[in-house]
Amino acid sequence: MTSSDQTPRPGRAAARRLILVSGQEGAGKTTIVRALLPHTPNGARIDAEDLGQVNPCLFDDAFWQLLRANVAALVRNYWNAGFENVIAGSFFKTRDDFLRFRELVPEADEVFMVQLLVQPEERQHRRLTRAKQTTQEWRDSVDQFDTVDTTLAVNQDGYRYLAVDGTGMTPEQTVAVIVREFPEIYGARLSTI
């Protein structure tokens, strides 16, 4: 098969899969969304953190509704262009947020949920040493409402769930876990990691 045979084509009947990455601030969502794409066949990625850059920055219900709608529109655009597997992250925190988003993309054939978990000490270290710096005031305010949503694991509404504790793991190791656990998407790529 040549590389041109693997190029998505508009109008091609294809599966429509979502790989959703969730986790607390500093868990590595942006890093994993980016690192996962090269291993994702016929894939596209959306880091909603890039889409959510607005001024003034009001994280109210209207903002989150707009962000979910923008992510859903991009997901559909990628699917319509023939990309089967769309990776998206950084736009929902809870199962309820996911359910609101899921209503916007009912045509998804399969949904895979990856919840990134990191021990508090390492998460704090990542937040202090990463390229996107935040203030202590911001981190303190985020920590007041940014808790791990355990209902994502318990109440799986039409998605396959995977929790990855990335404490002490490199991005490559985390990606290897995801690839191994979702053979429906990555089956042929297991040996490449």
Side-chain angles (χ1 to χ4, degrees):
M1 179 182 284
T2 67
S3 62
S4 63
D5 293 334
Q6 297 173 2
T7 304
R9 294 182 196 97
R12 190 181 96 189
R16 293 177 176 220
R17 294 186 191 108
L18 279 171
I19 302 109
L20 302 176
V21 180
S22 71
Q24 293 176 284
E25 182 191 43
K29 296 179 298 293
T30 295
T31 300
I32 296 307
V33 165
R34 289 180 180 155
L36 195 54
L37 181 61
H39 303 284
T40 305
N42 203 10
R45 75 169 171 88
I46 302 165
D47 183 1
E49 191 170 279
D50 293 335
L51 298 177
Q53 300 299 313
V54 295
N55 185 18
C57 183
L58 302 172
F59 291 126
D60 58 8
D61 288 340
F63 168 80
W64 289 107
Q65 183 178 354
L66 175 64
L67 187 58
R68 284 191 298 270
N70 286 341
V71 171
L74 281 174
V75 166
R76 281 192 304 279
N77 286 344
Y78 281 128
W79 283 339
N80 291 338
F83 292 94
E84 295 177 39
N85 301 304
V86 179
I87 308 161
S90 304
F91 68 96
F92 66 97
K93 302 251 181 233
T94 66
R95 179 177 164 270
D96 289 340
D97 292 340
F98 162 75
L99 293 174
R100 288 184 198 104
F101 171 72
R102 188 64 174 95
E103 291 174 357
L104 301 174
V105 288
E107 64 273 34
D109 296 318
E110 295 177 274
V111 179
F112 300 83
M113 176 78 68
V114 178
Q115 187 173 27
L116 300 176
L117 306 169
V118 178
Q119 293 300 314
E121 302 81 26
E122 184 167 331
R123 191 170 73 88
Q124 181 68 357
H125 173 74
R126 290 179 182 185
R127 294 161 78 190
L128 293 172
T129 59
R130 65 186 178 178
K132 49 183 175 183
Q133 292 292 307
T134 56
T135 65
Q136 184 63 48
E137 179 183 23
W138 169 259
R139 291 188 300 273
D140 289 345
S141 73
V142 166
D143 287 343
Q144 290 178 7
F145 67 87
D146 192 12
T147 59
V148 174
D149 183 355
T150 58
T151 63
L152 288 170
V154 176
N155 301 309
Q156 298 175 31
D157 293 303
Y159 56 86
R160 289 245 336 262
Y161 174 81
L162 173 65
V164 180
D165 185 343
T167 305
M169 293 173 64
T170 66
E172 294 77 18
Q173 291 168 322
T174 302
V175 166
V177 171
I178 296 167
V179 166
R180 183 181 64 243
E181 292 297 322
F182 295 146
E184 304 90 334
I185 300 169
Y186 301 103
R189 303 204 185 293
L190 287 172
S191 62
T192 64
I193 298 180

